[in-house]
Amino acid sequence: MDSLEKDLMRIQEALAEAAKVISAFTPGRIAAEKKAGGDPVTAADLAVDKVLKEMLLAPGEGWLSEETVDHPDRLDKERVWIVDPIDGTREFVEGIPEWCISVGLVVKGKPVAGGILNPPAGQLFLGSLDSGLT
């Protein structure tokens, strides 16, 4: 199994766990706070961010998430995970089923793999430069 295949498996497993975490929250019935800049953030965003980070981030890799403070040391890493724990938090808060969980992997500055889980529609998209999109 090549490296990108392993990365896709990691992404798929992390998104499956994120689906379990997000299922504990009810869209449209969750409180939101405002981040600096005015964007909403919920306990669901933070819980999904935590599980993705625990499952994806390996020693020597970088992390960039919409829900955590950016550390410039990620710029020195060859491999960087880029995530949005709930892409569409406003919709999630309002109960509109137009949100997803997004994960991407960048290697040497080039996007190489990613996944999107759309729980409201029951859809999972995975892809890499080697595998194409499923």
Side-chain angles (χ1 to χ4, degrees), residues 46-66:
L46 301 176
V48 171
D49 186 74
K50 181 179 182 215
V51 75
L52 291 175
K53 190 171 188 179
E54 288 171 355
M55 293 193 70
L56 293 171
L57 188 62
E61 295 179 336
W63 184 259
L64 178 61
S65 169
E66 188 170 321

Side-chain angles (χ1 to χ4, degrees), residues 34-114:
K34 298 284 183 182
K35 297 187 288 189
D39 290 329
V41 63
T42 69
D45 289 280
L46 301 176
V48 171
D49 186 74
K50 181 179 182 215
V51 75
L52 291 175
K53 190 171 188 179
E54 288 171 355
M55 293 193 70
L56 293 171
L57 188 62
E61 295 179 336
W63 184 259
L64 178 61
S65 169
E66 188 170 321
E67 306 309 341
T68 54
V69 175
D70 186 16
H71 295 284
D73 66 340
R74 75 174 165 78
L75 299 172
D76 298 326
K77 309 291 183 188
E78 185 173 299
R79 296 168 50 89
V80 178
W81 293 99
I82 301 173
V83 304
D84 190 346
I86 300 179
D87 189 359
T89 300
R90 280 187 182 90
E91 291 76 9
F92 186 79
V93 168
E94 293 175 18
I96 300 168
E98 296 177 5
W99 54 273
C100 63
I101 300 168
S102 303
V103 173
L105 177 62
V106 172
V107 177
K108 297 180 182 175
K110 182 178 180 181
V112 297

Side-chain angles (χ1 to χ4, degrees), residues 12-28:
Q12 185 171 9
E13 291 168 1
L15 288 172
E17 197 61 32
K20 292 177 190 173
V21 169
I22 200 79
S23 71
F25 300 90
T26 304

